[in-house]
Amino acid sequence: MKELSRIYSRNLFFSACVFIMGLIIPYSRGNSVAMLLLFFLGIVLYGYVGKLLVDVIKRLSHKETSIKELKFLFLTLAVLCAGSYFFIGVIDVEQKMISGLREIKPDAKYVLFSFNGFFRYFQDLAFTYMNSLYYSIVVMATLGDSEIIVKGGFTRIIVAFEVSTAISLTIFKIGEYYSELSSAEAKETENRIVSEVQKINPSYIVDPDAGFLERTFMKLTIKFSRHRKSGD
C-alpha cells in the first residue's frame, strides 16, 4: 500500500531530526531561547510520529489490511520509543531514569568547539542512539536487557506503553487473520457439500449463502432422495 510504504521515509526523517537535536543540545546549554526552541521542536516531532503511529493502528484495524502490514506498526513503535529513550539518555547525565544506555560523557569532557571534540561527541551520540534503538526493539520483543536498567517512573511508562501496544495489536491482528482463514475454509467446505448434493439431486439448487434452516432442509432432501432410490 502506498500510504503504508511511505512510513519508512517518515520514520527515517523523524530519526534524523531526533539525532540532530541531540547533537545541538550541548551547544544550546546556557541559551534559554535555543533550549526553548528545541523543546517546542521536540513536541512537534513527537506529535508528528505519534500521529503516524495512530494512523498505522487505524489502518491495521481494517479487515482488508494484511497481517504482513504489522511490520509498519513495529517499525513506527520502535522508532518512536527509541527516540524517547535517546532523549532521556542525552538529558539524564546522572542516569537516574535509565542506566546503561548513555555513551555520552559530561559536556566538560569534550572540547565541543573543536573538530576532534565535535567528532568524539558525534560518535558517542551515535552509539547512544544505537543503544536506544536496540533497547526499544528488545523491549518490544519482551526480552529486555540486563545491562540497561529502567529506574524512573516516566521511563517505565514508555516501556509499558511499548510492550502493551505491540502485544495487544499483534494478538488482535493474528486472531483476526486466523478467524477469517477459518471462515473461508468453512465456506469452501460448505460449497463442496452443496456441489455433491446437486450431483445427487440435480433438480435441487441451493443458495451458497443459505442459512441454517436451508442447510437443514438440504440434508433432509438428501436422505429422502437416497431413500427413494433404494425403494426403487
Side-chain angles (χ1 to χ4, degrees):
M1 298 178 186
K2 290 182 179 179
E3 301 137 5
L4 290 176
S5 62
R6 290 179 194 155
I7 293 173
Y8 291 116
S9 58
R10 292 177 182 176
N11 278 289
L12 183 61
F13 171 76
F14 171 78
S15 300
C17 290
V18 165
F19 185 81
I20 291 171
M21 287 179 64
L23 200 60
I24 296 172
I25 284 176
Y27 294 92
S28 304
R29 286 196 174 103
N31 188 328
S32 57
V33 176
M35 292 300 291
L36 189 62
L37 286 173
L38 284 175
F39 175 75
F40 281 113
L41 180 59
I43 292 176
V44 171
L45 276 175
Y46 281 94
Y48 169 78
V49 79
K51 182 181 181 303
L52 180 62
L53 179 63
V54 170
D55 291 342
V56 171
I57 292 172
K58 285 181 180 178
R59 188 68 185 177
L60 287 172
S61 65
H62 297 165
K63 288 187 177 181
E64 65 270 16
T65 307
S66 169
I67 192 173
K68 296 178 182 179
E69 310 304 335
L70 277 171
K71 63 186 177 185
F72 296 110
L73 168 68
F74 298 147
L75 173 65
T76 306
L77 188 60
V79 168
L80 171 62
C81 294
S84 302
Y85 301 136
F86 173 71
F87 266 125
I88 292 171
V90 172
I91 297 170
D92 186 20
V93 179
E94 297 180 0
Q95 303 189 51
K96 292 182 178 179
M97 299 185 70
I98 184 168
S99 63
L101 187 78
R102 180 185 170 97
E103 298 287 344
I104 309 168
K105 302 174 184 65
D107 293 350
K109 299 288 185 180
Y110 301 99
V111 184
L112 292 170
F113 291 94
S114 68
F115 177 78
N116 288 336
F118 173 80
F119 180 75
R120 284 180 57 201
Y121 179 73
F122 178 90
Q123 193 175 36
D124 291 344
L125 191 72
F127 284 130
T128 300
Y129 186 80
M130 285 190 285
N131 287 347
S132 303
L133 188 58
Y134 158 77
Y135 184 66
S136 180
I137 292 170
V138 298
V139 164
M140 190 166 53
T142 67
L143 297 174
D145 190 299
S146 59
E147 294 183 2
I148 301 176
I149 302 171
V150 173
K151 300 176 181 177
F154 180 71
T155 314
R156 288 176 179 172
I157 291 173
I158 298 173
V159 170
F161 166 75
E162 184 173 15
V163 172
S164 60
T165 302
I167 291 178
S168 59
L169 290 175
T170 300
I171 291 173
F172 165 76
K173 196 62 186 178
I174 291 176
E176 182 183 61
Y177 170 76
Y178 281 106
S179 175
E180 291 179 359
L181 185 64
S182 177
S183 299
E185 290 177 350
K187 191 69 178 176
E188 185 180 352
T189 302
E190 186 175 340
N191 289 338
R192 285 202 301 266
I193 293 173
V194 169
S195 177
E196 292 299 323
V197 170
Q198 290 176 344
K199 289 178 182 178
I200 295 172
N201 187 1
S203 63
Y204 183 78
I205 300 175
V206 65
D207 183 4
D209 296 324
F212 174 76
L213 293 176
E214 185 73 17
R215 292 196 299 270
T216 302
F217 178 72
M218 178 182 67
K219 293 178 182 179
L220 293 174
T221 302
I222 294 172
K223 290 183 179 180
F224 177 76
S225 178
R226 287 176 177 174
H227 178 73
R228 188 174 60 182
K229 287 182 179 181
S230 62
D232 294 341

